[in-house]
Amino acid sequence: MHRGMILLAISLLSLSACEKDFDEKYQDNLDQLNAEAKAIESGVIQHLAEGRQADEIIQSAEGPNGKIQKKDAATQ
């Protein structure tokens, strides 16, 4: 009986250590994933801004008929 209680105590301590190790690894992985998600989000926001800027440039170059007007070399 005494031997069984010692084994139970050791098992519980081992389980506690494994749980702590798992929690630390889980948190490290979660932190890494969050950092990568922020980097991806930043890149997406930058690309969207560039796309909007390109759209604005195209719209400002369009004439009343909706087509991009070419400038004549003679009028420049």
Side-chain angles (χ1 to χ4, degrees):
M1 175 81 170
H2 184 54
R3 186 178 207 185
M5 292 187 72
I6 291 174
L7 286 174
L8 180 61
I10 291 173
S11 297
L12 289 175
L13 291 173
S14 296
L15 181 61
S16 177
C18 289
E19 183 180 9
K20 183 179 178 184
D21 187 44
F22 174 81
D23 288 345
E24 289 173 359
K25 287 181 181 179
Y26 176 84
Q27 189 61 46
D28 289 344
N29 287 339
L30 184 60
D31 292 342
Q32 182 180 0
L33 287 172
N34 282 333
E36 290 175 8
K38 285 181 182 180
I40 291 169
E41 182 181 21
S42 176
V44 168
I45 290 171
Q46 180 180 351
H47 281 65
L48 286 173
E50 291 169 355
R52 286 186 190 112
Q53 185 179 17
D55 286 345
E56 289 173 4
I57 291 170
I58 291 170
Q59 287 176 355
S60 68
E62 289 178 347
N65 60 1
K67 294 184 180 178
I68 296 177
Q69 296 186 357
K70 296 180 182 177
K71 291 188 177 183
D72 236 347
T75 60
Q76 291 181 354

Short mmCIF file of all heavy atoms in Angstrom, two decimals:
data_model
loop_
_atom_site.label_atom_id
_atom_site.label_comp_id
_atom_site.label_asym_id
_atom_site.label_seq_id
_atom_site.Cartn_x
_atom_site.Cartn_y
_atom_site.Cartn_z
N MET A 1 0.82 -1.20 0.00
CA MET A 1 0.00 0.00 0.00
C MET A 1 0.86 1.26 0.00
O MET A 1 0.59 2.20 -0.72
CB MET A 1 -0.93 -0.06 1.22
CG MET A 1 -1.76 1.16 1.41
SD MET A 1 -3.18 1.06 0.32
CE MET A 1 -4.10 2.39 0.93
N HIS A 2 1.91 1.24 0.83
CA HIS A 2 2.81 2.39 0.93
C HIS A 2 3.53 2.61 -0.40
O HIS A 2 3.72 3.75 -0.83
CB HIS A 2 3.80 2.16 2.08
CG HIS A 2 4.70 3.31 2.33
ND1 HIS A 2 4.23 4.58 2.57
CD2 HIS A 2 6.05 3.41 2.40
CE1 HIS A 2 5.24 5.40 2.75
NE2 HIS A 2 6.36 4.70 2.66
N ARG A 3 3.90 1.52 -1.02
CA ARG A 3 4.60 1.59 -2.31
C ARG A 3 3.67 2.17 -3.39
O ARG A 3 4.11 2.95 -4.24
CB ARG A 3 5.06 0.19 -2.69
CG ARG A 3 5.90 0.16 -3.90
CD ARG A 3 6.34 -1.26 -4.16
NE ARG A 3 7.58 -1.27 -4.87
CZ ARG A 3 8.16 -2.34 -5.31
NH1 ARG A 3 7.64 -3.52 -5.06
NH2 ARG A 3 9.27 -2.26 -5.97
N GLY A 4 2.40 1.79 -3.38
CA GLY A 4 1.43 2.30 -4.33
C GLY A 4 1.21 3.80 -4.19
O GLY A 4 1.06 4.52 -5.17
N MET A 5 1.23 4.28 -2.96
CA MET A 5 1.06 5.72 -2.72
C MET A 5 2.27 6.50 -3.23
O MET A 5 2.13 7.60 -3.76
CB MET A 5 0.80 5.99 -1.24
CG MET A 5 -0.56 5.46 -0.80
SD MET A 5 -0.98 5.91 0.86
CE MET A 5 -1.32 7.63 0.67
N ILE A 6 3.45 5.92 -3.06
CA ILE A 6 4.67 6.58 -3.56
C ILE A 6 4.62 6.66 -5.08
O ILE A 6 4.93 7.70 -5.67
CB ILE A 6 5.93 5.83 -3.07
CG1 ILE A 6 6.08 6.00 -1.55
CG2 ILE A 6 7.16 6.33 -3.80
CD1 ILE A 6 7.20 5.18 -0.95
N LEU A 7 4.22 5.58 -5.73
CA LEU A 7 4.10 5.58 -7.19
C LEU A 7 3.05 6.59 -7.66
O LEU A 7 3.25 7.29 -8.66
CB LEU A 7 3.75 4.18 -7.71
CG LEU A 7 4.88 3.16 -7.67
CD1 LEU A 7 4.35 1.78 -8.08
CD2 LEU A 7 6.00 3.58 -8.60
N LEU A 8 1.97 6.68 -6.94
CA LEU A 8 0.93 7.64 -7.27
C LEU A 8 1.45 9.08 -7.12
O LEU A 8 1.21 9.92 -7.99
CB LEU A 8 -0.31 7.43 -6.38
CG LEU A 8 -1.47 8.38 -6.62
CD1 LEU A 8 -1.99 8.24 -8.05
CD2 LEU A 8 -2.57 8.13 -5.61
N ALA A 9 2.19 9.34 -6.08
CA ALA A 9 2.75 10.68 -5.85
C ALA A 9 3.74 11.04 -6.96
O ALA A 9 3.73 12.16 -7.48
CB ALA A 9 3.41 10.75 -4.48
N ILE A 10 4.58 10.10 -7.32
CA ILE A 10 5.56 10.34 -8.39
C ILE A 10 4.85 10.58 -9.71
O ILE A 10 5.21 11.48 -10.48
CB ILE A 10 6.56 9.17 -8.49
CG1 ILE A 10 7.46 9.15 -7.25
CG2 ILE A 10 7.39 9.27 -9.76
CD1 ILE A 10 8.36 7.93 -7.14
N SER A 11 3.82 9.79 -9.96
CA SER A 11 3.06 9.96 -11.21
C SER A 11 2.40 11.34 -11.26
O SER A 11 2.39 11.99 -12.31
CB SER A 11 1.99 8.87 -11.32
OG SER A 11 2.58 7.61 -11.41
N LEU A 12 1.84 11.76 -10.16
CA LEU A 12 1.19 13.09 -10.12
C LEU A 12 2.19 14.21 -10.33
O LEU A 12 1.91 15.19 -11.02
CB LEU A 12 0.43 13.27 -8.80
CG LEU A 12 -0.84 12.44 -8.66
CD1 LEU A 12 -1.42 12.61 -7.27
CD2 LEU A 12 -1.85 12.83 -9.71
N LEU A 13 3.37 14.07 -9.74
CA LEU A 13 4.41 15.08 -9.93
C LEU A 13 4.88 15.12 -11.38
O LEU A 13 5.11 16.18 -11.95
CB LEU A 13 5.58 14.84 -8.99
CG LEU A 13 5.30 15.08 -7.50
CD1 LEU A 13 6.50 14.65 -6.66
CD2 LEU A 13 4.97 16.55 -7.26
N SER A 14 5.03 13.94 -11.97
CA SER A 14 5.45 13.86 -13.38
C SER A 14 4.39 14.47 -14.29
O SER A 14 4.71 15.21 -15.23
CB SER A 14 5.69 12.41 -13.79
OG SER A 14 6.76 11.87 -13.06
N LEU A 15 3.13 14.17 -13.98
CA LEU A 15 2.05 14.73 -14.77
C LEU A 15 2.02 16.25 -14.66
O LEU A 15 1.84 16.94 -15.66
CB LEU A 15 0.71 14.14 -14.31
CG LEU A 15 -0.53 14.62 -15.06
CD1 LEU A 15 -0.42 14.25 -16.53
CD2 LEU A 15 -1.78 14.02 -14.44
N SER A 16 2.23 16.76 -13.49
CA SER A 16 2.26 18.20 -13.28
C SER A 16 3.39 18.85 -14.07
O SER A 16 3.21 19.91 -14.68
CB SER A 16 2.41 18.51 -11.79
OG SER A 16 2.49 19.90 -11.58
N ALA A 17 4.56 18.21 -14.07
CA ALA A 17 5.71 18.74 -14.83
C ALA A 17 5.42 18.70 -16.33
O ALA A 17 5.75 19.64 -17.06
CB ALA A 17 6.96 17.95 -14.50
N CYS A 18 4.80 17.63 -16.80
CA CYS A 18 4.46 17.52 -18.22
C CYS A 18 3.43 18.57 -18.61
O CYS A 18 3.53 19.17 -19.68
CB CYS A 18 3.91 16.13 -18.53
SG CYS A 18 5.13 14.82 -18.49
N GLU A 19 2.47 18.80 -17.74
CA GLU A 19 1.44 19.80 -18.02
C GLU A 19 2.06 21.20 -18.10
O GLU A 19 1.73 21.98 -19.00
CB GLU A 19 0.37 19.77 -16.92
CG GLU A 19 -0.77 20.72 -17.17
CD GLU A 19 -1.82 20.66 -16.06
OE1 GLU A 19 -1.58 20.03 -15.02
OE2 GLU A 19 -2.87 21.28 -16.26
N LYS A 20 2.98 21.49 -17.21
CA LYS A 20 3.65 22.80 -17.23
C LYS A 20 4.46 22.96 -18.52
O LYS A 20 4.42 24.01 -19.15
CB LYS A 20 4.55 22.94 -16.01
CG LYS A 20 5.22 24.28 -15.91
CD LYS A 20 6.08 24.39 -14.67
CE LYS A 20 6.78 25.73 -14.65
NZ LYS A 20 7.70 25.86 -13.53
N ASP A 21 5.19 21.91 -18.90
CA ASP A 21 5.99 21.94 -20.12
C ASP A 21 5.09 22.14 -21.34
O ASP A 21 5.38 22.93 -22.23
CB ASP A 21 6.79 20.65 -20.25
CG ASP A 21 7.77 20.68 -21.40
OD1 ASP A 21 8.46 21.72 -21.57
OD2 ASP A 21 7.86 19.68 -22.15
N PHE A 22 3.95 21.41 -21.36
CA PHE A 22 3.00 21.55 -22.45
C PHE A 22 2.47 22.98 -22.52
O PHE A 22 2.39 23.58 -23.61
CB PHE A 22 1.84 20.57 -22.28
CG PHE A 22 0.75 20.75 -23.29
CD1 PHE A 22 0.87 20.21 -24.57
CD2 PHE A 22 -0.38 21.50 -23.00
CE1 PHE A 22 -0.11 20.38 -25.51
CE2 PHE A 22 -1.38 21.68 -23.94
CZ PHE A 22 -1.25 21.13 -25.20
N ASP A 23 2.09 23.54 -21.39
CA ASP A 23 1.56 24.91 -21.36
C ASP A 23 2.58 25.92 -21.87
O ASP A 23 2.23 26.85 -22.60
CB ASP A 23 1.12 25.28 -19.94
CG ASP A 23 -0.14 24.56 -19.49
OD1 ASP A 23 -0.84 23.99 -20.37
OD2 ASP A 23 -0.43 24.56 -18.28
N GLU A 24 3.84 25.74 -21.49
CA GLU A 24 4.89 26.66 -21.96
C GLU A 24 5.08 26.54 -23.47
O GLU A 24 5.19 27.55 -24.16
CB GLU A 24 6.20 26.37 -21.23
CG GLU A 24 6.19 26.78 -19.77
CD GLU A 24 7.42 26.35 -19.01
OE1 GLU A 24 8.31 25.68 -19.62
OE2 GLU A 24 7.52 26.67 -17.82
N LYS A 25 5.11 25.32 -23.98
CA LYS A 25 5.28 25.13 -25.42
C LYS A 25 4.07 25.66 -26.18
O LYS A 25 4.20 26.26 -27.24
CB LYS A 25 5.50 23.65 -25.74
CG LYS A 25 6.86 23.15 -25.35
CD LYS A 25 7.06 21.69 -25.70
CE LYS A 25 8.43 21.21 -25.27
NZ LYS A 25 8.63 19.80 -25.57
N TYR A 26 2.88 25.44 -25.62
CA TYR A 26 1.66 25.94 -26.24
C TYR A 26 1.70 27.47 -26.33
O TYR A 26 1.39 28.04 -27.37
CB TYR A 26 0.43 25.50 -25.43
CG TYR A 26 -0.87 26.05 -25.93
CD1 TYR A 26 -1.55 25.43 -26.97
CD2 TYR A 26 -1.42 27.20 -25.37
CE1 TYR A 26 -2.75 25.93 -27.44
CE2 TYR A 26 -2.62 27.71 -25.84
CZ TYR A 26 -3.28 27.08 -26.85
OH TYR A 26 -4.46 27.59 -27.32
N GLN A 27 2.10 28.11 -25.24
CA GLN A 27 2.16 29.57 -25.23
C GLN A 27 3.22 30.09 -26.22
O GLN A 27 2.99 31.08 -26.92
CB GLN A 27 2.46 30.10 -23.82
CG GLN A 27 2.34 31.59 -23.68
CD GLN A 27 0.94 32.09 -23.99
OE1 GLN A 27 -0.04 31.55 -23.53
NE2 GLN A 27 0.85 33.13 -24.79
N ASP A 28 4.36 29.42 -26.28
CA ASP A 28 5.40 29.81 -27.24
C ASP A 28 4.88 29.70 -28.67
O ASP A 28 5.09 30.60 -29.49
CB ASP A 28 6.65 28.93 -27.09
CG ASP A 28 7.42 29.22 -25.81
OD1 ASP A 28 7.17 30.28 -25.19
OD2 ASP A 28 8.27 28.39 -25.43
N ASN A 29 4.19 28.59 -28.98
CA ASN A 29 3.64 28.41 -30.32
C ASN A 29 2.57 29.46 -30.62
O ASN A 29 2.51 30.00 -31.73
CB ASN A 29 3.05 27.01 -30.48
CG ASN A 29 4.11 25.94 -30.57
OD1 ASN A 29 5.25 26.21 -30.90
ND2 ASN A 29 3.73 24.71 -30.27
N LEU A 30 1.74 29.75 -29.63
CA LEU A 30 0.69 30.75 -29.80
C LEU A 30 1.30 32.13 -30.06
O LEU A 30 0.86 32.86 -30.94
CB LEU A 30 -0.21 30.79 -28.56
CG LEU A 30 -1.40 31.72 -28.62
CD1 LEU A 30 -2.34 31.34 -29.77
CD2 LEU A 30 -2.15 31.68 -27.29
N ASP A 31 2.34 32.47 -29.32
CA ASP A 31 3.02 33.75 -29.52
C ASP A 31 3.63 33.84 -30.92
O ASP A 31 3.55 34.87 -31.58
CB ASP A 31 4.10 33.97 -28.46
CG ASP A 31 3.53 34.16 -27.06
OD1 ASP A 31 2.33 34.46 -26.93
OD2 ASP A 31 4.30 34.00 -26.09
N GLN A 32 4.23 32.73 -31.36
CA GLN A 32 4.83 32.71 -32.69
C GLN A 32 3.77 32.86 -33.78
O GLN A 32 3.95 33.62 -34.74
CB GLN A 32 5.61 31.42 -32.90
CG GLN A 32 6.31 31.35 -34.24
CD GLN A 32 7.08 30.05 -34.42
OE1 GLN A 32 7.09 29.19 -33.55
NE2 GLN A 32 7.71 29.89 -35.58
N LEU A 33 2.66 32.17 -33.63
CA LEU A 33 1.58 32.28 -34.60
C LEU A 33 0.99 33.68 -34.63
O LEU A 33 0.69 34.22 -35.70
CB LEU A 33 0.48 31.26 -34.30
CG LEU A 33 0.81 29.81 -34.61
CD1 LEU A 33 -0.28 28.89 -34.08
CD2 LEU A 33 0.99 29.61 -36.10
N ASN A 34 0.85 34.30 -33.47
CA ASN A 34 0.33 35.67 -33.42
C ASN A 34 1.28 36.64 -34.11
O ASN A 34 0.84 37.55 -34.83
CB ASN A 34 0.09 36.10 -31.98
CG ASN A 34 -1.17 35.52 -31.40
OD1 ASN A 34 -2.11 35.22 -32.14
ND2 ASN A 34 -1.22 35.36 -30.09
N ALA A 35 2.58 36.45 -33.92
CA ALA A 35 3.56 37.32 -34.58
C ALA A 35 3.50 37.15 -36.10
O ALA A 35 3.54 38.14 -36.85
CB ALA A 35 4.97 37.02 -34.07
N GLU A 36 3.37 35.91 -36.55
CA GLU A 36 3.28 35.66 -37.99
C GLU A 36 1.98 36.22 -38.56
O GLU A 36 1.97 36.76 -39.67
CB GLU A 36 3.40 34.16 -38.27
CG GLU A 36 4.79 33.62 -38.01
CD GLU A 36 4.89 32.11 -38.15
OE1 GLU A 36 3.91 31.48 -38.61
OE2 GLU A 36 5.95 31.57 -37.81
N ALA A 37 0.90 36.12 -37.81
CA ALA A 37 -0.38 36.66 -38.27
C ALA A 37 -0.31 38.18 -38.39
O ALA A 37 -0.84 38.76 -39.35
CB ALA A 37 -1.50 36.26 -37.31
N LYS A 38 0.36 38.82 -37.46
CA LYS A 38 0.50 40.28 -37.53
C LYS A 38 1.34 40.69 -38.74
O LYS A 38 1.04 41.68 -39.40
CB LYS A 38 1.13 40.82 -36.25
CG LYS A 38 0.17 40.84 -35.09
CD LYS A 38 0.80 41.40 -33.84
CE LYS A 38 -0.18 41.34 -32.68
NZ LYS A 38 0.38 41.87 -31.44
N ALA A 39 2.39 39.92 -39.04
CA ALA A 39 3.22 40.22 -40.21
C ALA A 39 2.41 40.04 -41.49
O ALA A 39 2.51 40.88 -42.41
CB ALA A 39 4.45 39.31 -40.22
N ILE A 40 1.60 39.00 -41.56
CA ILE A 40 0.76 38.78 -42.75
C ILE A 40 -0.26 39.89 -42.87
O ILE A 40 -0.47 40.44 -43.96
CB ILE A 40 0.07 37.40 -42.67
CG1 ILE A 40 1.11 36.30 -42.83
CG2 ILE A 40 -1.02 37.27 -43.72
CD1 ILE A 40 0.60 34.91 -42.52
N GLU A 41 -0.88 40.25 -41.76
CA GLU A 41 -1.89 41.32 -41.77
C GLU A 41 -1.27 42.64 -42.23
O GLU A 41 -1.86 43.37 -43.04
CB GLU A 41 -2.49 41.49 -40.39
CG GLU A 41 -3.57 42.54 -40.31
CD GLU A 41 -4.14 42.69 -38.91
OE1 GLU A 41 -3.48 42.31 -37.93
OE2 GLU A 41 -5.26 43.22 -38.80
N SER A 42 -0.07 42.92 -41.77
CA SER A 42 0.62 44.15 -42.18
C SER A 42 0.88 44.15 -43.68
O SER A 42 0.70 45.16 -44.36
CB SER A 42 1.93 44.27 -41.41
OG SER A 42 2.66 45.38 -41.84
N GLY A 43 1.30 43.00 -44.22
CA GLY A 43 1.54 42.90 -45.66
C GLY A 43 0.27 43.06 -46.46
O GLY A 43 0.27 43.72 -47.51
N VAL A 44 -0.82 42.49 -45.98
CA VAL A 44 -2.10 42.62 -46.67
C VAL A 44 -2.56 44.08 -46.67
O VAL A 44 -3.01 44.60 -47.70
CB VAL A 44 -3.17 41.71 -46.01
CG1 VAL A 44 -4.57 42.04 -46.51
CG2 VAL A 44 -2.84 40.25 -46.27
N ILE A 45 -2.43 44.73 -45.54
CA ILE A 45 -2.83 46.15 -45.45
C ILE A 45 -2.00 46.99 -46.41
O ILE A 45 -2.53 47.87 -47.09
CB ILE A 45 -2.70 46.64 -43.99
CG1 ILE A 45 -3.78 45.99 -43.13
CG2 ILE A 45 -2.80 48.16 -43.92
CD1 ILE A 45 -3.62 46.23 -41.64
N GLN A 46 -0.71 46.71 -46.49
CA GLN A 46 0.17 47.46 -47.41
C GLN A 46 -0.25 47.22 -48.86
O GLN A 46 -0.34 48.16 -49.65
CB GLN A 46 1.62 47.05 -47.21
CG GLN A 46 2.57 47.79 -48.12
CD GLN A 46 4.02 47.37 -47.92
OE1 GLN A 46 4.34 46.66 -47.00
NE2 GLN A 46 4.89 47.83 -48.80
N HIS A 47 -0.53 45.97 -49.22
CA HIS A 47 -0.94 45.67 -50.59
C HIS A 47 -2.28 46.33 -50.93
O HIS A 47 -2.47 46.82 -52.04
CB HIS A 47 -1.02 44.16 -50.80
CG HIS A 47 0.31 43.52 -51.03
ND1 HIS A 47 1.29 43.48 -50.07
CD2 HIS A 47 0.82 42.89 -52.11
CE1 HIS A 47 2.34 42.86 -50.54
NE2 HIS A 47 2.09 42.48 -51.78
N LEU A 48 -3.19 46.33 -49.97
CA LEU A 48 -4.48 46.99 -50.21
C LEU A 48 -4.30 48.49 -50.43
O LEU A 48 -4.92 49.08 -51.31
CB LEU A 48 -5.43 46.75 -49.03
CG LEU A 48 -6.03 45.35 -48.94
CD1 LEU A 48 -6.80 45.20 -47.63
CD2 LEU A 48 -6.93 45.07 -50.12
N ALA A 49 -3.43 49.10 -49.64
CA ALA A 49 -3.17 50.52 -49.79
C ALA A 49 -2.55 50.82 -51.16
O ALA A 49 -2.91 51.79 -51.83
CB ALA A 49 -2.25 51.01 -48.68
N GLU A 50 -1.63 49.96 -51.59
CA GLU A 50 -1.01 50.15 -52.90
C GLU A 50 -2.05 49.98 -54.01
O GLU A 50 -2.03 50.72 -55.01
CB GLU A 50 0.13 49.15 -53.09
CG GLU A 50 1.33 49.44 -52.20
CD GLU A 50 2.35 48.32 -52.19
OE1 GLU A 50 2.11 47.26 -52.80
OE2 GLU A 50 3.41 48.50 -51.55
N GLY A 51 -2.95 49.01 -53.84
CA GLY A 51 -4.01 48.81 -54.84
C GLY A 51 -4.95 50.00 -54.91
O GLY A 51 -5.35 50.43 -56.00
N ARG A 52 -5.30 50.55 -53.75
CA ARG A 52 -6.17 51.73 -53.73
C ARG A 52 -5.48 52.92 -54.38
O ARG A 52 -6.11 53.69 -55.12
CB ARG A 52 -6.55 52.08 -52.29
CG ARG A 52 -7.56 51.12 -51.70
CD ARG A 52 -8.02 51.59 -50.33
NE ARG A 52 -8.81 50.56 -49.69
CZ ARG A 52 -8.45 49.87 -48.62
NH1 ARG A 52 -7.30 50.13 -48.03
NH2 ARG A 52 -9.23 48.94 -48.12
N GLN A 53 -4.19 53.06 -54.12
CA GLN A 53 -3.44 54.16 -54.72
C GLN A 53 -3.40 53.99 -56.24
O GLN A 53 -3.58 54.96 -56.98
CB GLN A 53 -2.03 54.20 -54.15
CG GLN A 53 -1.21 55.38 -54.62
CD GLN A 53 0.18 55.38 -54.01
OE1 GLN A 53 0.66 54.37 -53.49
NE2 GLN A 53 0.84 56.52 -54.07
N ALA A 54 -3.20 52.78 -56.70
CA ALA A 54 -3.18 52.52 -58.15
C ALA A 54 -4.55 52.81 -58.76
O ALA A 54 -4.64 53.40 -59.85
CB ALA A 54 -2.77 51.08 -58.43
N ASP A 55 -5.62 52.43 -58.05
CA ASP A 55 -6.97 52.73 -58.53
C ASP A 55 -7.20 54.23 -58.64
O ASP A 55 -7.79 54.71 -59.62
CB ASP A 55 -8.03 52.12 -57.61
CG ASP A 55 -8.15 50.62 -57.75
OD1 ASP A 55 -7.63 50.07 -58.75
OD2 ASP A 55 -8.76 49.99 -56.85
N GLU A 56 -6.72 54.98 -57.65
CA GLU A 56 -6.88 56.44 -57.69
C GLU A 56 -6.12 57.05 -58.85
O GLU A 56 -6.61 57.96 -59.52
CB GLU A 56 -6.41 57.05 -56.37
CG GLU A 56 -7.33 56.75 -55.20
CD GLU A 56 -6.77 57.22 -53.87
OE1 GLU A 56 -5.69 57.85 -53.85
OE2 GLU A 56 -7.42 56.95 -52.83
N ILE A 57 -4.94 56.53 -59.11
CA ILE A 57 -4.14 57.04 -60.23
C ILE A 57 -4.84 56.75 -61.55
O ILE A 57 -4.93 57.61 -62.43
CB ILE A 57 -2.72 56.42 -60.21
CG1 ILE A 57 -1.94 56.96 -59.01
CG2 ILE A 57 -1.98 56.69 -61.51
CD1 ILE A 57 -0.63 56.24 -58.76
N ILE A 58 -5.38 55.56 -61.69
CA ILE A 58 -6.09 55.19 -62.91
C ILE A 58 -7.33 56.07 -63.08
O ILE A 58 -7.60 56.57 -64.18
CB ILE A 58 -6.46 53.70 -62.91
CG1 ILE A 58 -5.19 52.85 -63.05
CG2 ILE A 58 -7.45 53.36 -64.01
CD1 ILE A 58 -5.40 51.37 -62.83
N GLN A 59 -8.08 56.26 -62.01
CA GLN A 59 -9.29 57.08 -62.10
C GLN A 59 -8.96 58.53 -62.44
O GLN A 59 -9.69 59.18 -63.18
CB GLN A 59 -10.08 57.01 -60.78
CG GLN A 59 -10.77 55.69 -60.58
CD GLN A 59 -11.46 55.60 -59.24
OE1 GLN A 59 -11.36 56.50 -58.42
NE2 GLN A 59 -12.18 54.51 -59.02
N SER A 60 -7.86 59.04 -61.92
CA SER A 60 -7.51 60.42 -62.22
C SER A 60 -7.01 60.57 -63.66
O SER A 60 -7.06 61.65 -64.24
CB SER A 60 -6.45 60.94 -61.24
OG SER A 60 -5.22 60.28 -61.44
N ALA A 61 -6.53 59.47 -64.25
CA ALA A 61 -6.04 59.52 -65.63
C ALA A 61 -7.17 59.29 -66.63
O ALA A 61 -6.98 59.53 -67.83
CB ALA A 61 -4.94 58.47 -65.83
N GLU A 62 -8.32 58.82 -66.17
CA GLU A 62 -9.43 58.56 -67.08
C GLU A 62 -10.13 59.86 -67.47
O GLU A 62 -10.28 60.77 -66.67
CB GLU A 62 -10.45 57.62 -66.42
CG GLU A 62 -9.96 56.21 -66.28
CD GLU A 62 -10.96 55.30 -65.59
OE1 GLU A 62 -11.93 55.81 -65.00
OE2 GLU A 62 -10.75 54.09 -65.63
N GLY A 63 -10.53 59.90 -68.68
CA GLY A 63 -11.25 61.06 -69.19
C GLY A 63 -12.74 60.89 -69.00
O GLY A 63 -13.20 59.94 -68.37
N PRO A 64 -13.53 61.78 -69.58
CA PRO A 64 -14.98 61.71 -69.44
C PRO A 64 -15.60 60.46 -70.06
O PRO A 64 -16.65 60.02 -69.64
CB PRO A 64 -15.48 62.96 -70.14
CG PRO A 64 -14.32 63.55 -70.86
CD PRO A 64 -13.09 62.92 -70.34
N ASN A 65 -14.92 59.86 -71.03
CA ASN A 65 -15.46 58.65 -71.66
C ASN A 65 -15.04 57.38 -70.93
O ASN A 65 -15.35 56.28 -71.37
CB ASN A 65 -15.06 58.59 -73.14
CG ASN A 65 -13.55 58.57 -73.32
OD1 ASN A 65 -12.80 58.59 -72.35
ND2 ASN A 65 -13.10 58.51 -74.56
N GLY A 66 -14.32 57.52 -69.83
CA GLY A 66 -13.92 56.36 -69.04
C GLY A 66 -12.65 55.68 -69.51
O GLY A 66 -12.27 54.65 -69.00
N LYS A 67 -12.02 56.24 -70.52
CA LYS A 67 -10.78 55.67 -71.03
C LYS A 67 -9.61 56.53 -70.60
O LYS A 67 -9.73 57.74 -70.44
CB LYS A 67 -10.82 55.56 -72.56
CG LYS A 67 -11.86 54.59 -73.06
CD LYS A 67 -11.80 54.46 -74.56
CE LYS A 67 -12.87 53.47 -75.03
NZ LYS A 67 -12.86 53.36 -76.48
N ILE A 68 -8.47 55.88 -70.45
CA ILE A 68 -7.26 56.62 -70.07
C ILE A 68 -6.84 57.48 -71.25
O ILE A 68 -6.73 57.00 -72.39
CB ILE A 68 -6.15 55.66 -69.66
CG1 ILE A 68 -6.56 54.89 -68.40
CG2 ILE A 68 -4.84 56.39 -69.44
CD1 ILE A 68 -5.56 53.87 -67.93
N GLN A 69 -6.66 58.74 -70.97
CA GLN A 69 -6.27 59.66 -72.04
C GLN A 69 -4.75 59.70 -72.14
O GLN A 69 -4.04 59.77 -71.17
CB GLN A 69 -6.81 61.05 -71.74
CG GLN A 69 -8.31 61.10 -71.71
CD GLN A 69 -8.83 62.52 -71.56
OE1 GLN A 69 -8.06 63.47 -71.43
NE2 GLN A 69 -10.13 62.67 -71.60
N LYS A 70 -4.31 59.67 -73.39
CA LYS A 70 -2.88 59.78 -73.65
C LYS A 70 -2.58 61.23 -73.94
O LYS A 70 -3.31 61.93 -74.62
CB LYS A 70 -2.50 58.91 -74.87
CG LYS A 70 -2.72 57.43 -74.62
CD LYS A 70 -2.34 56.63 -75.84
CE LYS A 70 -2.62 55.16 -75.59
NZ LYS A 70 -2.34 54.35 -76.75
N LYS A 71 -1.45 61.67 -73.40
CA LYS A 71 -1.04 63.04 -73.65
C LYS A 71 -0.26 63.10 -74.95
O LYS A 71 0.57 62.23 -75.22
CB LYS A 71 -0.19 63.56 -72.51
CG LYS A 71 -1.00 63.74 -71.23
CD LYS A 71 -0.16 64.43 -70.19
CE LYS A 71 -1.03 64.65 -68.96
NZ LYS A 71 -0.31 65.36 -67.93
N ASP A 72 -0.55 64.10 -75.71
CA ASP A 72 0.16 64.33 -76.97
C ASP A 72 1.52 64.93 -76.68
O ASP A 72 1.65 65.79 -75.83
CB ASP A 72 -0.63 65.32 -77.83
CG ASP A 72 -0.95 64.75 -79.18
OD1 ASP A 72 -0.37 63.72 -79.54
OD2 ASP A 72 -1.77 65.36 -79.87
N ALA A 73 2.52 64.53 -77.41
CA ALA A 73 3.86 65.10 -77.23
C ALA A 73 3.85 66.58 -77.60
O ALA A 73 4.58 67.38 -77.06
CB ALA A 73 4.88 64.34 -78.06
N ALA A 74 2.98 66.95 -78.52
CA ALA A 74 2.90 68.36 -78.97
C ALA A 74 2.28 69.25 -77.90
O ALA A 74 2.57 70.43 -77.85
CB ALA A 74 2.09 68.44 -80.26
N THR A 75 1.41 68.70 -77.06
CA THR A 75 0.73 69.54 -76.06
C THR A 75 1.50 69.61 -74.75
O THR A 75 1.11 70.34 -73.88
CB THR A 75 -0.69 69.01 -75.77
OG1 THR A 75 -0.57 67.67 -75.28
CG2 THR A 75 -1.55 69.04 -77.01
N GLN A 76 2.57 68.86 -74.63
CA GLN A 76 3.33 68.89 -73.37
C GLN A 76 4.31 70.01 -73.33
O GLN A 76 4.95 70.49 -74.08
CB GLN A 76 4.05 67.57 -73.17
CG GLN A 76 3.10 66.44 -72.89
CD GLN A 76 3.84 65.13 -72.66
OE1 GLN A 76 5.05 65.05 -72.81
NE2 GLN A 76 3.10 64.10 -72.29
#
